[in-house]
Amino acid sequence: MPGPAWIVIPTYNEADNLGSLLHGVREAVPEGRILVVDDNSPDGTGELADELAAADPHVEVLHRPGKAGLGLAYVNGFAHALRAGAGYVVEMDADLSHDPRDLPRLLAAAEAGADLVLGSRYVAGGGVEDWDLLRGVLSRGGSRYARTVLGVAIRDLTGGFKCFRAGTLREIDFETVRSEGYAFQVELTYRALARGLRVEEVPITFHDRSAGDSKMSARIALEAIWLVPALRLARRRDGLPEAPGSGEPGTLPIPEA
């Protein structure tokens, strides 16, 4: 039998959101384990996480000495969860943009056989709340750009709400991923597709944060622009097969909007 589900949550200055988020996760997945990966937040998020962990044996905290990037925070968190015997590993944001009540549906899809489950904003039934027009255009445009360049059918390649089987993380060699932000999310999914793994999208509604500051930056967006074609070119250079295209094994084929 697979081990428990671990929910990995990187934090940097999320003290206003952490308590509510962990309460929601514990209600949604009572037997799950929560790992907070804090980058020495100046607002005391790490200390608050320690207090919550002291009161709940299902919560652990991994402290990093400083802000070292979202991608590496997830890599460190994934490695910790796998060493602890995780059967499934979920990544989600700390700002309450991902609804903990969606966790059982992501886990159910993985338990039913999916190797990687994506909480998707851009499939039927999914959506976004409280974004302005510019941010919505940038997000949809980024996913469409990545989908077109990589030649895959996945609709939400840039989302950060994912559920992996433990074996999937090992197979995609996650510890070698060094990209950040959007690019990190695209690369994880593309690696799974390129290995012929079963990737499914489950509709979610994304909620814009109501407290704290966004960690999005121009550098993160620019990294995604150059990394997406680099991923496909690297496969060709190394003589590896392309990731499955629209309608082929390893994707969930969905008509273009």
Side-chain angles (χ1 to χ4, degrees), residues 199-222:
V199 180
E200 294 187 6
E201 296 187 87
V202 170
I204 64 162
T205 298
F206 181 97
H207 308 272
D208 198 15
R209 68 162 61 239
S210 59
D213 298 320
S214 172
K215 311 303 187 297
M216 182 59 185
S217 69
R219 181 186 66 79
I220 289 173
L222 289 171

Side-chain angles (χ1 to χ4, degrees), residues 76 83 95 107 112 180 188 196 218-219 254:
N76 294 159
R83 286 194 299 268
D95 59 5
L107 286 163
E180 294 292 331
L188 288 177
R219 181 186 66 79
I254 297 170

Side-chain angles (χ1 to χ4, degrees), residues 103-114 117 163:
L103 285 166
R105 293 192 297 116
L106 269 66
L107 286 163
E111 290 167 355
V117 184
C163 177

Side-chain angles (χ1 to χ4, degrees), residues 3-8 32-35 58-60 77 80-82 84-91 107:
W6 279 69
I7 295 86
V8 178
R33 306 280 306 193
I34 301 172
L35 178 65
H58 286 79
V59 179
E60 294 186 25
H80 180 99
L82 291 178
Y88 305 93
V89 180
V90 177
E91 59 165 89
L107 286 163

Side-chain angles (χ1 to χ4, degrees), residues 69-125:
L70 179 67
L72 189 56
Y74 273 126
V75 167
N76 294 159
F78 294 166
H80 180 99
L82 291 178
R83 286 194 299 268
Y88 305 93
V89 180
V90 177
E91 59 165 89
M92 68 186 301
D93 292 345
D95 59 5
L96 298 174
S97 57
H98 299 144
D99 191 335
R101 290 174 296 183
D102 290 325
L103 285 166
R105 293 192 297 116
L106 269 66
L107 286 163
E111 290 167 355
D115 297 299
L116 168 59
V117 184
L118 312 178
S120 180
R121 300 161 289 184
Y122 303 135
V123 295

Side-chain angles (χ1 to χ4, degrees), residues 6-14 18 21-22 34-41 45-47 49-50 53 59-81 83 89-94 215:
W6 279 69
I7 295 86
V8 178
I9 305 172
T11 57
Y12 186 78
N13 287 348
E14 296 289 356
L18 189 64
L21 175 61
L22 266 56
I34 301 172
L35 178 65
V36 177
V37 184
D38 186 69
D39 279 5
N40 196 23
S41 299
T45 301
E47 290 80 359
D50 284 336
V59 179
E60 294 186 25
V61 186
L62 179 61
H63 292 279
R64 302 201 304 169
K67 197 173 183 181
L70 179 67
L72 189 56
Y74 273 126
V75 167
N76 294 159
F78 294 166
H80 180 99
R83 286 194 299 268
V89 180
V90 177
E91 59 165 89
M92 68 186 301
D93 292 345
K215 311 303 187 297

